[in-house]
Amino acid sequence: SYTSNDLIFINQGIKDYPIQTVFKHAGLNGNFNLKSASQINYSIKISSNKLYGAKSELNNFNHLQTNYYSNLEFYSSGIINYFLGVGFNHTELSASYSSEKRGIGLFKTYGGIDFNLFENLISHAGTEVLFTKNKTALKGYLTTRWQHTNGLWTDLNIAAIQSLPEEINDLWYWIENGYDVLNKLNVNYSFNGVRKKEFKFTADLNIGYNFNPSLNLEAVIIYRNFNNYFVEEVTGIYNPDSSNFFSSVIARTNSSGGVAGFSIKINNKIFSSLVHTLDYRFLTSATGDSSFKNEWMTIPSHKLSYAVTFNPFENFSLWANLTFLSPVSWSYFPDLENLSKGFYRSN
């Protein structure tokens, strides 16, 4: 367990709040063999996280979240590698300003299998079904590697993911269930629409080539599509007299859109103890409604990174990393530059 006193930035309030955290954790995990090629993996965990308001502005702001987790999995290897598992997760929340004491119970079953359609085509597929009360969420994925000759390879990664609000387990879920945290922080908010299960589809096509043992190149085409995507529209009005923001939030529960891009990475080992990497990524919102596009405008479209690692001895290394990000736009802070006399910029 540990205790800390920190300033925690709460996005909806657009400021740091002095909060004391007390975290406790206990767990047990392990495995035992059934046969030479199969085993049972198990895991049990209990944790609690208690938050205290550290100053008068957060009087009566105590929260206690307790989590119970268990998982049991069967794994078998041989001609076919596969696994099957079940898990249960229960979370409870209590707050000093609310008489509510509610919990979320999530039960899941999952499995996966490795298979080779051809000698140089290796695939892995998996699925998961999540249950809570009268709701279900499905997840599935497929990864395939085609190993060409002469150091060339291709990866295709596809996933379709449904997520329940109970599974996401964020601040907004608890607000909907009687824990009015934002009211305690003097933040005005409203919900736009009824929150549903989110759906995300992802597809990545990776192409890599090893020129030689010291130099390789990887290029990735990226696509993401979101439905019933949850977006916080946090509007901050700057007060030049107090140098603070007054915030209000619209929680949009049914936003949708698609994101596309690509990345290129070059990795080069100059000699055995010195390696450097150049990585460039471009990402943009290709489709979507206005709330979705405004959200993604806060994420840099361009990212360029350079990293170098020097490892002269087995247990000693030095590294450096330099990253460049393109400007972003914040549409949720009207007249910010003018009110702050140029101290803040909207992009």
Side-chain angles (χ1 to χ4, degrees):
S1 67
Y2 71 85
T3 302
S4 65
N5 291 280
D6 296 301
L7 286 173
I8 297 179
F9 181 78
I10 298 179
N11 182 59
Q12 297 84 0
I14 320 180
K15 65 180 292 187
D16 294 311
Y17 294 88
I19 292 176
Q20 182 184 72
T21 301
V22 179
F23 179 77
K24 298 178 180 180
H25 172 86
L28 174 68
N29 60 73
N31 61 75
F32 55 89
N33 295 327
L34 297 178
K35 298 179 181 178
S36 60
S38 61
Q39 67 180 33
I40 296 288
N41 303 315
Y42 60 89
S43 179
I44 301 173
K45 300 176 184 177
I46 301 174
S47 65
S48 68
N49 192 19
K50 193 163 189 177
L51 305 179
Y52 300 88
K55 287 193 175 181
S56 57
E57 64 178 311
L58 291 179
N59 280 340
N60 199 28
F61 190 73
N62 300 341
H63 294 77
L64 174 62
Q65 182 167 301
T66 307
N67 180 258
Y68 307 90
Y69 171 85
S70 61
N71 197 78
L72 189 66
E73 180 182 288
F74 172 78
Y75 175 79
S76 178
S77 60
I79 298 176
I80 298 177
N81 299 330
Y82 68 94
F83 62 90
L84 299 168
V86 294
F88 181 73
N89 188 60
H90 182 77
T91 301
E92 293 179 350
L93 180 68
S94 60
S96 56
Y97 53 83
S98 173
S99 59
E100 301 284 348
K101 186 176 181 180
R102 299 197 180 189
I104 310 170
L106 300 171
F107 177 79
K108 69 177 180 180
T109 63
Y110 62 94
I113 186 172
D114 297 330
F115 57 94
N116 291 28
L117 295 176
F118 305 101
E119 184 179 355
N120 61 344
L121 190 64
I122 304 171
S123 300
H124 178 74
T127 186
E128 177 184 298
V129 184
L130 184 76
F131 306 89
T132 177
K133 296 181 181 179
N134 58 347
K135 301 178 183 178
T136 59
L138 305 177
K139 298 175 176 59
Y141 62 89
L142 172 68
T143 65
T144 297
R145 167 162 289 199
W146 182 16
Q147 187 68 55
H148 308 270
T149 58
N150 301 322
L152 180 65
W153 53 266
T154 303
D155 281 352
L156 177 62
N157 304 312
I158 299 174
I161 303 168
Q162 290 182 329
S163 300
L164 297 172
E166 292 87 347
E167 177 187 3
I168 298 171
N169 188 17
D170 58 7
L171 173 69
W172 293 101
Y173 172 79
W174 294 107
I175 288 176
E176 286 184 292
N177 284 275
Y179 299 87
D180 203 348
V181 180
L182 296 185
N183 183 54
K184 292 293 297 181
L185 302 178
N186 297 316
V187 176
N188 296 319
Y189 68 91
S190 63
F191 279 90
N192 187 309
V194 177
R195 196 169 185 184
K196 304 174 183 178
K197 70 176 74 171
E198 295 184 6
F199 177 75
K200 178 171 67 175
F201 173 79
T202 72
D204 295 335
L205 178 63
N206 301 41
I207 301 175
Y209 184 70
N210 299 322
F211 294 94
N212 55 56
S214 300
L215 179 64
N216 59 73
L217 170 70
E218 181 179 353
V220 184
I221 299 174
I222 305 165
Y223 179 72
R224 306 281 186 270
N225 185 266
F226 302 86
N227 282 289
N228 293 326
Y229 185 64
F230 188 84
V231 173
E232 292 181 1
E233 291 188 354
V234 182
T235 301
I237 305 299
Y238 183 74
N239 183 348
D241 297 327
S242 64
S243 299
N244 289 325
F245 289 91
F246 298 112
S247 63
S248 63
V249 187
I250 299 176
R252 300 197 180 276
T253 62
N254 56 0
S255 187
S256 63
V259 177
F262 66 90
S263 67
I264 298 174
K265 182 167 69 174
I266 301 173
N267 189 75
N268 178 222
K269 182 182 290 186
I270 300 175
F271 46 86
S272 60
S273 59
L274 185 62
V275 179
H276 63 151
T277 303
L278 184 66
D279 191 354
Y280 170 74
R281 186 222 68 198
F282 171 76
L283 196 64
T284 186
S285 56
T287 61
D289 52 35
S290 59
S291 60
F292 182 87
K293 289 190 173 182
N294 286 338
E295 179 78 2
W296 280 91
M297 285 173 63
T298 64
I299 299 174
S301 296
H302 303 273
K303 179 181 179 181
L304 179 65
S305 299
Y306 175 75
V308 58
T309 302
F310 179 51
N311 186 208
F313 312 110
E314 182 179 354
N315 297 318
F316 178 80
S317 64
L318 297 171
W319 61 272
N321 186 73
L322 185 63
T323 300
F324 297 93
L325 301 173
S326 61
V328 298
S329 178
W330 295 85
S331 61
Y332 303 140
F333 295 86
D335 205 24
L336 179 60
E337 287 189 50
N338 182 47
L339 288 173
S340 65
K341 297 181 180 179
F343 184 79
Y344 293 104
R345 300 190 54 152
S346 58
N347 57 47

